[in-house]
Structure formats: C-alpha cells, structure tokens
Amino acid sequence: MPTVNPFKKRVVITGAGAVSPYGAGSHLLAENMLEGKSSVTFNGELAAYPEMTSHVSSTVPNDLDFSYIPRHFRRSMSKMSLYAAAAVKEALNKAGYETVPEGTALFLGSTISSMETWVNFSDKYKKRELETVKTTVVFQVMNHSPLANVAQAFDIKGPGFGNSCACATGLVNIGMAYQFIASGLIDKALCGGTDEYHPIMTACFAIMNAASSRYNDAPQKASRPFDEGRCGIVCSEGCGMLFIESLESALKRNAEIYGEILGFGTNTETKSISHPSTECITECMKLALKNASLSAQDIDMINAHATGTAAGDAEESKAIAAVFGSNKHVNSLKGHIGHTMAASGSLELIAMLDMMSKNRIAPTLNLDNIDPECAGIKHILQPADLKINAFLKNSFALGGTNCSLIVRRYE
C-alpha cells in the first residue's frame, strides 16, 4: 500500500474510450487480445514500392461511421481528430456524462499532424492549385490539431495541453493530467493520444531498418515483441482516451472507478536519439515507484513498451530485470495491434485496465522463441488467469522521452 501524502490528491480513472484496428469501442481491445486475434494485414500500397522492405500495417476499419459528429466540426478534422472525438465521446459516456463537465482539462496529442493532409496540400502547391485548397485544411495540419478540434466539438473550455512526444505521447498526457489533479490544479481531465496511419510512417522506420520486413507473406506474425525472430515495428493507428478525476470528485457523484493512478515517472535519454538505454529505462521506472511511494515488490506485472525492435526490446528487458527481478509477469500488446504510435500508451493502458478487471491477462502475441537478450524476465506466453492488483505501464519514444505509469485496482 502506498504511503499517504496529505498534499497529494488521489486520482482515479472513471471513463475510457478507444478507436483501434479492432474498431470503435474500448471493450474490443481486451476481447480480441484475449482471443489471440491480430489486426495486422498486408498493405498493397507499401508493396508497390520496390525499395520498401515492409509491406504490413495495422489500421482502423475504414467503414467506421463518424457522421454523428456535426459536419461543421468534421470539416476541420483529419482521421486522427475523428478517432479522438469518438474516443472522447465514449470516455465521457463511460464516466457518466453526456457533455463535458465544467472545468475539465484536455491533454491530447499526436506524433505529428495529419501526414495525409500535408501530402495532399503539398501536391496542390507543386501543381499551383492552391485555389482549390479549402481553408479547413489549415486546422488539420496544426501541431495541436486533435486538441483544437476536440475542444471545439465538445465545447471544452478548460485548460488544453497538446503534449507531443512521439510514441510516448499518450502516456505522457495521462501522466501530466494525473500530476495536475494530484497537485490540486484541476479536478477532472480527458487525456490520451491519437494517431493516423500513412505509408510514409512505415517508410520512416524502414529507412532506420526498424520496420518489420521478414513476415510480409504472413502479416499476422509480423509484430513479435521479445521474440528472437523479431525484425521491427508494424506501424498502426488509433486513439485511446481516459477520463480521470480526483477520488473526492468520483465518490461525490458515485462514479464507477476502473482503477487508481498511483505514480508517474519520466526522463530523457541522451545516449541515443533513436532508442533508450537500460540505464535510462531503469531510472524511469524507479522514478514512477518513488512518485507512488511504492517498492518493486508492490507491483504485480509490467506492461512493456516492447515494439519488436532488436535493441529496444532487449534494453527494456534488462531494465525490467534490474528493477523487478525475474518473477514479475511481463507482456507487450503490440503483437496484437502493432505500434499505434502516439496512441500506444493510452490504448494499451485501457486494454490492461479491462484485463485487470477480468483477472485474465493476454500474452505477448507471436512470442514463439524468447530471445536470449530478453530472457531475464517472466514473459506471459499464454492467456493467464491472474489477479493483478497493481501494474506498471511503460512507453518510450524516438527522441528520448521515456515514461512509466503505475495503476492499481481501486479498493
């Protein structure tokens, strides 16, 4: 149990919303993961480029209906803002609200703004056809476009923070929102990350030799965290949003509580701009434990960032072993849905909350042969009946941003 800090408010999760490659709905995450379903598919557009080594991706179903969002809001939204709007609506409903309560803050970001919009805009510019570009395009390419679009659509007048930290964005926004509430600056927040897929995303990782390339003929096996046959990231998309608030606020309105956030740690890797080191990850997880006033023994499992890259998975495995030893359960959920970039931390956290409530934890998909470099930890290899009281969630980003968040079952 954490030591009570009289100057730190308790912060709980009362709502969750998701759009993922499985579809719209937070319940779809744990359901499909526990059934061992992969959302990764062959991407013909990637295969059309001879120099492209990776031909796989994981994308949101293109038949989702967003027409319930008023058209005058949709006009300035790219896909990532549409995903965010849908996830926010679900998170609000789960929290027991039809509209955003007064004073709610919004923490929402993406890796970059809409690549599809930028590419189309650039094409118009090169062809000297700027007169055909609609003014609403500008509101799809701002760095904080999802934040602005969601705030407008839901009339969120409270503070807005568009934190963007590449693959750590979703968890950073949740961690920052938690800190704001714990310190008493705000009482409620919507927080998370969103992203939309574009083939250029895969191209970027391919240039770095970090895109999955050996399983183009077997896409569902392409994302393989910790496995000795792993060969890189499968790029994906989606949005995960949480509604969090002070415990006092939740109890006052008799809200259902899905979990309690106990601590958050973040630091910056300076040894490499492309991947974190064992030392920096170790320190990040220790910072989260310190913030939560917990010891390593108080954590039941770790939901790893593990993306399927050779260096990243090995460094994280060694760091987990250094902090928690070899007996704590560990999984990665990217084998199921790929790497949803800015949304990864928030989507995976939502899935873990559902699994924790079910006492049923999904394994790391496609982990057939554990790499010796990743062997010092207790991998979950099959769906497991486990009662998890507290888990630590990791997210790491290109550019050096690391973060760890600790969540426990609310009692």
Side-chain angles (χ1 to χ4, degrees):
M1 293 290 289
T3 303
V4 176
N5 181 344
F7 302 106
K8 180 178 174 182
K9 288 190 175 184
R10 294 175 65 181
V11 182
V12 293
I13 301 164
T14 54
V19 173
S20 74
Y22 295 129
S26 56
H27 66 287
L28 294 176
L29 290 166
E31 285 180 9
N32 283 278
M33 289 172 176
L34 287 169
E35 291 176 10
K37 294 181 179 178
S38 167
S39 62
V40 180
T41 59
F42 176 78
N43 187 316
E45 185 173 352
L46 293 174
Y49 289 87
E51 66 273 27
M52 189 74 75
T53 57
S54 181
H55 303 163
V56 292
S57 61
S58 180
T59 56
V60 170
N62 58 18
D63 59 351
L64 292 187
D65 181 15
F66 298 103
S67 61
Y68 59 87
I69 302 170
R71 184 175 178 276
H72 65 284
F73 293 127
R74 278 187 285 123
R75 287 185 305 171
S76 61
M77 291 182 172
S78 70
K79 288 187 292 185
M80 66 173 67
S81 291
L82 291 172
Y83 301 160
V88 164
K89 181 177 174 62
E90 183 188 8
L92 282 172
N93 291 342
K94 288 282 183 66
Y97 291 106
E98 292 186 7
T99 59
V100 178
E102 185 177 352
T104 299
L106 178 61
F107 294 75
L108 174 60
S110 59
T111 51
I112 55 176
S113 59
S114 173
M115 183 59 70
E116 181 179 25
T117 305
W118 270 121
V119 169
N120 292 339
F121 191 7
S122 177
D123 185 58
K124 295 283 188 182
Y125 175 79
K126 289 178 180 178
K127 292 178 180 178
R128 300 182 182 275
E129 297 176 352
L130 288 180
E131 72 280 359
T132 67
V133 178
K134 297 179 180 178
T135 57
T136 51
V137 165
V138 174
F139 303 106
Q140 297 180 27
V141 298
M142 300 184 298
N143 189 53
H144 70 310
S145 283
L147 178 87
N149 279 295
V150 167
Q152 295 294 316
F154 290 89
D155 195 28
I156 302 175
K157 296 186 176 72
F161 302 89
N163 300 302
S164 177
C165 303
C167 309
T169 296
L171 206 64
V172 163
N173 279 305
I174 294 169
M176 293 296 289
Y178 154 73
Q179 290 181 322
F180 268 63
I181 295 173
S183 65
L185 293 173
I186 59 175
D187 200 46
K188 303 177 182 67
L190 283 156
C191 48
T194 187
D195 238 318
E196 62 185 64
Y197 178 78
H198 190 279
I200 289 178
M201 187 185 294
T202 299
C204 288
F205 284 98
I207 290 168
M208 296 186 289
N209 295 315
S212 179
S213 58
R214 299 178 195 159
Y215 301 89
N216 292 330
D217 296 330
Q220 295 191 343
K221 296 182 179 295
S223 185
R224 337 178 42 86
F226 302 122
D227 189 77
E228 65 179 0
R230 70 190 184 281
C231 56
I233 290 169
V234 173
C235 294
S236 183
E237 64 178 353
C239 178
M241 294 296 295
L242 295 181
F243 189 93
I244 69 174
E245 58 189 303
S246 67
L247 177 61
E248 181 183 12
S249 170
L251 293 177
K252 188 180 296 184
R253 61 190 192 86
N254 198 30
E256 181 177 357
I257 296 174
Y258 298 97
E260 180 177 0
I261 301 175
L262 296 183
F264 177 65
T266 184
N267 62 7
T268 304
E269 173 64 67
T270 56
K271 288 185 178 180
S272 170
I273 199 170
S274 58
H275 62 81
S277 65
T278 297
E279 294 78 13
C280 204
I281 299 172
T282 297
E283 179 61 23
C284 184
M285 293 188 290
K286 286 181 176 180
L287 287 170
L289 288 170
K290 182 179 180 180
N291 182 246
S293 300
L294 296 176
S295 68
Q297 288 70 35
D298 297 313
I299 304 300
D300 298 311
M301 77 164 288
I302 297 90
N303 176 235
H305 180 65
T307 63
T309 61
D313 291 8
E315 295 293 315
E316 185 175 9
S317 298
K318 294 169 185 175
I320 291 171
V323 177
F324 296 100
S326 60
N327 294 318
K328 301 294 183 180
H329 296 284
V330 179
N331 73 349
S332 168
L333 300 176
K334 292 182 176 70
H336 295 80
I337 59 173
H339 190 348
T340 55
M341 302 298 156
S344 60
S346 48
L347 279 175
E348 292 162 17
L349 179 59
I350 289 168
M352 282 299 303
L353 285 169
D354 200 356
M355 292 179 202
M356 182 170 67
S357 72
K358 290 180 167 70
N359 297 320
R360 183 80 167 158
I361 308 297
T364 301
L365 192 64
N366 297 321
L367 181 48
D368 299 329
N369 297 290
I370 300 170
D371 188 320
E373 290 288 305
C374 306
I377 53 179
K378 190 174 183 179
H379 295 283
I380 301 178
L381 302 176
Q382 299 292 334
D385 293 321
L386 295 171
K387 183 175 182 181
I388 300 299
N389 290 313
F391 67 89
L392 180 142
K393 168 75 190 123
N394 280 333
S395 283
F396 313 123
L398 289 175
T401 300
N402 302 327
C403 56
S404 301
L405 189 85
I406 297 174
V407 176
R408 75 167 176 182
R409 186 189 301 266
Y410 173 73
E411 296 177 356

